[in-house]
Amino acid sequence: LPTASKPTVIAVDDDHSIRRALRNQLRLAGFNVLVFDSGQRLLRRKLPRTNACLLLDVYMPEMTGVELYQRLTAAGRQMPAIMMSARDDDETRGLMRHAKAAAVLFKPFDEKTLLAAIRKVLRKQADGPHGRNAPKSVAPF
Amino acid sequence: MGGTRRRAWRHFEGALFVFRNYFLALFHMVRVMIGAVSVSRQAVGRADSMGSSVIPRLSAGGGSRRGRPFAGGNGSSGHKRERFELLVDQLSTAMARASVDEIEDQINHWLSRIVSALNVDRGTVWETTASKNGFVSKYWWARPGVPGLPPKMLSARISPWITEKISRGESIAFSSLRELPKSSAALKQFLKTHGPKAMAALPLEVGHEVIGGLTFGKFHGPRDWRPRELQRLRIVAQIFAAALGRKQASLQMMKIRDELVVASRRSTLSQLTASIAHELNQPLAALLSNLGGLARLLSQENHKPAQACSTVRNAIADTKRAAEIVKRLRNMFRAGEIVREPLEVGPLLREVVKLVANESMFRRVALRIGDLADPLWVFGDRIQIQQCVLNLLMNALDAAAQAKTPSPQVDVTAEAYQSGWIELTISDNGTGLDSEIADRIFEPFVTTKTNGMGLGLLVTRSIVERHGGKIWFSPNPYGGSKFSFTLPTAYGMGETARRRAPEVSARTSDLGHGAERRNMEQLGDAGKLG
């Protein structure tokens, strides 16, 4: 497959070993992978706009995944996001819901779950109003 | 919401249980004290009321019929009785004065004196077994040449008959084996070869509860027990019982205090469940992700042994990290023996900070540990000291998070305090305490939290004080609260601990003892030259 058509997963996690593992795993599964250790670093970078999704850890020291997502949205850089957390409780689920995450994952998750979430989110994006698969023109009648 | 309430209720139940035990122990102690006072009054009253009509009848009846030595009221036995009475008085005074720690030594000492004064061969104090199926030998004293007792000898194995009588609160005295009932032929046989030929056995009672027994045996030949003598022995038994009861109550109190410390630790642990699960899930997630990648690497037939190898290595590192977390938690929350040892403050604090790092992240509080320029060493129990730091840290996190300041923050610092002491301080920039609450903050059930029992600081104080230190509250000059406590320095740990003392003296002398400081400096210089 040509590299350009590979979807991109942009993962943000403050945990080094998780970044390392996710990068290897997702590359082997056929994705382009970008990893960041904090929201601040991601905000400074130019990101692909289509055929890409975010994989955001909720609890990070300086800026939470939820805040990062809100900042991106506010800056007009919409992108579907999967929220992930090692903490599974009402409070965290509430945060994720509030952030309008396209999918949620609780660590530890297996590859099947991870890939299913990524594919679902990418498909949604492609079918969405600005997506690749969106109808080019709408019939007036 | 429901979860929070359930959790709060569980805490409440746990604390309630601990407090129930606490009050039961208090009640027991009070009962022992009241028992001791009323018992000695009764005993004296009863001894006096025995009077002349009872004693002559019994002693004449027993004595003249068998015609044994010591029987009857001749001059020499009268003299002996007086000496024994004096001894009982002394015993009473000594036991009343003895601290709980001295009771054991006192009992051993007085057993020997009573055995000598009674002209018997062995005296034994028995304790009721935990399962209440009899007694075990606890203290004994025997004349040279007289057999002792193996430790924890079960009384029921020697004589179920005597054991049962004493358990019911009855006394037994026999002057010779011939007086034993026919039913106890086995006992008779045993005593004939091994045991005493005459014996007095009395229950040790606190209130109406038999907590043990007291026995005196004569191994060589028979011995008569005069009623007056038995009366005195009953008083001895009451004095011993009161002392042992006091000791038991104190042990129970200590046990309950330890339980409270452990219960408080467990309650803190339950508050940290979410962050502990979070901490453990991180390496597990990395592990699962690494293994997912590895499976793909091995199945795709794109053999990249180097990449597979590094993935396995990463997975191993993740597993070790998970195991490390479990080990750290076990270390922190085990309820084992209290071990006092030299401890370096830095690693000790860092371990606790690591434990609450996630919690502070969840609550968006910046948690900082101050620079420890020199290694500081304290002497104490690691788990208990960490529990103090943990309690104070959790309180500080609560206070900082609730205050809704733009940048909530908690600081942990440690420094040399006065010669021989290290001060640890946990401060927050939260709402602080009203002066009215601040004065009572170390008392039980005083809390500013809606879901707290107000036991954390009580336990913290009890731990600090058991280490010989002190704990205090002061308002944080930058807003919020500051809790400090001191622990003894562990001397001889590296050069630092030894060097530290003069340094600190020099600092305190800043407050106006200029001359002293100069002397210190001179001393320091002299030291260098030497």
Side-chain angles (χ1 to χ4, degrees), chain A residues 13-15 17-18 20-22 25 28-29 59-64 67 86-87 107-111 115, chain B residues 1 274 277-278 281-282 284-286 288-290 292-293 296-297 300 302 307 311 314 317-318 321 361-362 364:
Chain A
D13 199 305
D14 59 321
D15 190 298
S17 50
I18 286 183
R20 189 176 58 189
L22 278 177
Q25 186 186 21
L28 285 165
Y59 295 104
M60 292 186 285
E62 301 285 317
M63 189 190 297
T64 66
E67 283 167 334
R87 180 180 167 189
K107 298 177 194 170
F109 42 74
D110 61 13
E111 187 171 274
L115 295 185
Chain B
M1 249 358 249
H278 179 270
N281 277 337
Q282 292 285 71
L284 291 182
L288 216 48
S289 183
N290 273 319
R296 212 166 261 278
L297 260 175
Q300 278 174 348
N302 57 349
Q307 199 182 344
T311 308
N314 290 344
D318 296 332
R321 182 175 149 198
M361 184 173 74
F362 294 157
R364 324 229 49 199

